[in-house]
Amino acid sequence: LTGPVRADRWPELRPAAMRTVLEHARHLAAATFVDCGFCLEQDEELAYDTAAPRRNGATLTVLRAADTVVCVGSADPVGLRRLVRGLEELRAAVPGVEPLVVVNRVRSTVVPGEPRREIDAALRRWAGVAAAACLPAAPAVVDAAMRTGRTLSEAAPDSPLRRGIAELARTLAGVPEPTGRRRRLLPTRRR
């Protein structure tokens, strides 16, 4: 599920309605993914004498109802600092949550040394978590898939980014890693 198509339509998305949508989604699908925004403000009602619409009410409703919360941050100094701050805000908004942290756009030109080790060290030091996944930057691969209107698995099935996303999906779904490559069956020709 994505958010509203325009940011100014947030008042239309009320927490009670979101709870209903989530209940229906749980009955309709084995898994529901909700793309939430980055901001978790909670104090809008303090500025009003009456119950005011809460800009992030739907997001907070989703986070409180989630079985798994995945937090995604960019693998650069600014992105990692934002991720650490976002994790602090998440813990304040939803006490007890243990998010799955994913770091995106990992590249050695921005993170010196061994990027995965450096990112994990920074996250452990500043947020007390390790990254569940570090997805490599692959702008050429992503651009080629978008340009041709294909999925990443169609455009670059063996790319490190596609493999990282597949591993993350297996982790989220609780599916073990395949033991061997699947044989591709080709039609036989009759002579």
Side-chain angles (χ1 to χ4, degrees), residues 19-153:
R19 279 189 289 277
T20 302
V21 168
L22 293 173
E23 287 173 23
H24 285 295
R26 285 183 193 269
H27 293 293
L28 293 172
T32 303
F33 294 85
V34 182
D35 185 3
C36 295
F38 65 91
C39 185
L40 299 177
E41 297 168 340
Q42 296 189 78
D43 61 350
E44 296 95 341
E45 68 271 11
L46 298 178
Y48 298 91
D49 291 337
T50 61
R54 297 181 63 204
R55 182 170 180 83
N56 298 306
T59 297
L60 292 169
T61 298
V62 168
L63 291 172
R64 289 179 181 128
D67 295 321
T68 303
V69 174
V70 179
C71 294
V72 181
S74 183
D76 58 69
V78 174
L80 288 172
R81 180 62 194 130
R82 287 180 179 161
L83 177 58
V84 167
R85 188 173 44 244
L87 290 167
E88 292 169 1
E89 291 174 3
L90 175 63
R91 289 181 180 125
V94 187
V97 68
E98 293 294 331
L100 192 73
V101 176
V102 176
V103 181
N104 200 12
R105 299 182 187 132
V106 176
R107 54 198 191 278
S108 59
T109 56
V110 176
V111 179
E114 171 56 41
R116 174 68 189 239
R117 188 173 49 239
E118 297 296 327
I119 289 167
D120 272 342
L123 288 174
R124 278 193 175 95
R125 179 176 180 190
W126 300 107
V129 298
C134 284
L135 303 175
V141 170
V142 172
D143 289 350
M146 291 179 69
R147 183 174 49 254
T148 58
R150 297 185 301 164
T151 64
L152 199 56
S153 64

Side-chain angles (χ1 to χ4, degrees), residues 163-188:
R163 288 194 313 266
I165 292 170
E167 178 58 33
L168 176 60
R170 279 192 294 276
T171 298
L172 289 169
V175 176
E177 187 171 349
T179 55
R181 280 194 71 85
R182 197 170 56 181
R183 281 189 24 199
R184 186 173 179 194
L185 299 177
L186 299 174
T188 58

